Amino acid sequence: MTFFDEIMKNKYVVALIYILVCFMLIRILNAVFAKIIKKSNSDGIKFQFLNGVIKVAVIIFFLFRIAALSPVLSSFSNTILMSSSLIVVVLGFIFQEGLSNIIHGFIITIFKPFKLGDRVEITVGGERLTGYVKAMTLRHTIITGIIDNAESIIPNSLLDNSVIRNLTTQDMNNKYPLKVSITYADASDPRKLAVAKHLFSKAVEENPLTADARTDKNGDYNVKIDLSESSVDLTIFVETDTAENNFLAATQIKERLLCDFPAAGIHFAYNHLEISGQLKGLIK
């Protein structure tokens, strides 16, 4: 009998070999699927989910192989394998929530409401979340927030029952309204109103992050005017290539207007208190 045969008779050594092989296979699967996901444009979510399914199957296979090394565990595992109904009952009882996430994960990969890297808006439990799809596992999907860059982990069962808006488009820029408010006194003066619209349009046009979509390059943007309780609101839709650039462009435009409007004699509207009249009887 060879030395290798002697080693293979030791159940602890065999169990250790099974564990090492299992870890090696998982690392190989991760490497292979990482390359596949990198090359795929629209099926990244599907391949991520498939990778998780195969890894779980590999782990279960080696767990049964390790259990077979023990007479007690071997008898128990054989009993389970002989009864498919028992398998369903046991797995359904122990992994009820996990199985629900897996099933809903399959549904998401089939209908493909989004793909890796898409910007989505998800309403979960009354809370709205906007971000980019980073990854999807058997249990959950990871969304990276736009504003705070935080990762939100959403169980697949909740995600499948949520309202999902896919905000990623190939042919359209990101377009959001930008509003500034001026006083009624300035807006009532036709000259000042025209200057305010022109300065606002110029600040948007000359910002390096915005897309100039006007057909009339010598005129102003289509400035929307609203009459609110204590101000006249001027609104322009600002277009950028990404949502992050839109936040930055809006900030830069507002900073510029903080200098341009006062220099032109145009006043921003804000709530303030004015007391007028005569005070009588307070001073004797």
Side-chain angles (χ1 to χ4, degrees):
M1 186 174 295
T2 63
F3 176 74
F4 180 76
D5 292 333
E6 289 290 341
I7 293 179
M8 293 304 294
K9 280 187 176 183
N10 190 322
K11 297 179 180 179
Y12 296 105
V13 174
V14 175
L16 180 60
I17 292 175
Y18 282 150
I19 293 173
L20 293 176
V21 173
C22 180
F23 276 109
M24 289 178 60
L25 286 176
I26 290 176
R27 290 179 66 88
I28 292 173
L29 285 171
N30 288 335
V32 171
F33 275 96
K35 292 184 178 180
I36 295 175
I37 293 171
K38 188 176 181 180
K39 292 181 179 179
S40 65
N41 294 324
S42 60
D43 292 332
I45 288 288
K46 180 178 70 176
F47 288 122
Q48 271 194 347
F49 192 82
L50 181 61
N51 184 26
V53 171
I54 295 176
K55 286 192 293 186
V56 169
V58 169
I59 292 173
I60 292 176
F61 171 79
F62 279 100
L63 285 177
F64 274 103
R65 295 298 300 175
I66 293 173
L69 297 175
S70 170
V72 177
L73 294 178
S74 177
S75 176
F76 178 72
S77 62
N78 289 334
T79 302
I80 293 179
L81 291 174
M82 292 294 291
S83 175
S84 59
S85 60
L86 181 60
I87 293 177
V88 174
V89 172
V90 171
L91 292 179
F93 179 76
I94 298 177
F95 304 109
Q96 181 178 2
E97 186 66 26
L99 288 175
S100 175
N101 288 323
I102 293 175
I103 293 172
H104 286 283
F106 270 117
I107 295 174
I108 293 173
T109 58
I110 291 173
F111 290 97
K112 299 179 181 179
F114 49 74
K115 62 180 183 292
L116 289 180
D118 278 2
R119 183 164 60 88
V120 295
E121 181 182 274
I122 303 171
T123 303
V124 183
E127 182 179 354
R128 182 176 298 175
L129 172 67
T130 303
Y132 294 95
V133 181
K134 180 180 180 180
M136 182 178 182
T137 67
L138 291 180
R139 179 187 174 275
H140 59 260
T141 300
I142 301 176
I143 306 295
T144 303
I146 290 179
I147 298 177
D148 54 7
N149 206 36
E151 293 185 355
S152 298
I153 299 175
I154 306 174
N156 293 331
S157 57
L158 288 179
L159 185 62
D160 190 33
N161 292 303
S162 302
V163 178
I164 303 174
R165 293 181 61 210
N166 194 324
L167 304 177
T168 299
T169 56
Q170 298 296 325
D171 301 324
M172 296 180 61
N173 290 326
N174 293 272
K175 191 174 183 180
Y176 298 94
L178 176 61
K179 181 180 72 174
V180 295
S181 300
I182 62 175
T183 64
Y184 269 96
D186 290 340
S188 299
D189 184 338
R191 185 190 66 81
K192 284 191 174 182
L193 180 59
V195 171
K197 292 169 61 177
H198 177 71
L199 291 176
F200 195 5
S201 299
K202 188 177 181 181
V204 174
E205 176 187 357
E206 294 180 356
N207 188 281
L209 298 177
T210 60
D212 187 5
R214 292 180 303 159
T215 55
D216 182 10
K217 301 299 181 180
N218 296 319
D220 292 334
Y221 279 83
N222 293 324
V223 181
K224 181 174 177 286
I225 299 178
D226 292 310
L227 305 180
S228 62
E229 183 177 352
S230 57
S231 65
V232 175
D233 301 328
L234 309 180
T235 304
I236 291 180
F237 280 92
V238 177
E239 296 186 40
T240 55
D241 56 348
T242 65
E244 291 85 353
N245 281 343
N246 204 282
F247 287 117
L248 182 58
T251 299
Q252 294 173 351
I253 292 169
K254 291 176 182 178
E255 290 177 349
R256 174 170 173 171
L257 293 180
L258 284 173
C259 298
D260 291 352
F261 274 15
I266 299 170
H267 302 85
F268 290 99
Y270 60 93
N271 293 327
H272 57 281
L273 180 64
E274 292 184 0
I275 300 176
S276 61
Q278 296 180 353
L279 300 177
K280 297 181 179 180
L282 297 179
I283 302 176
K284 293 183 179 180

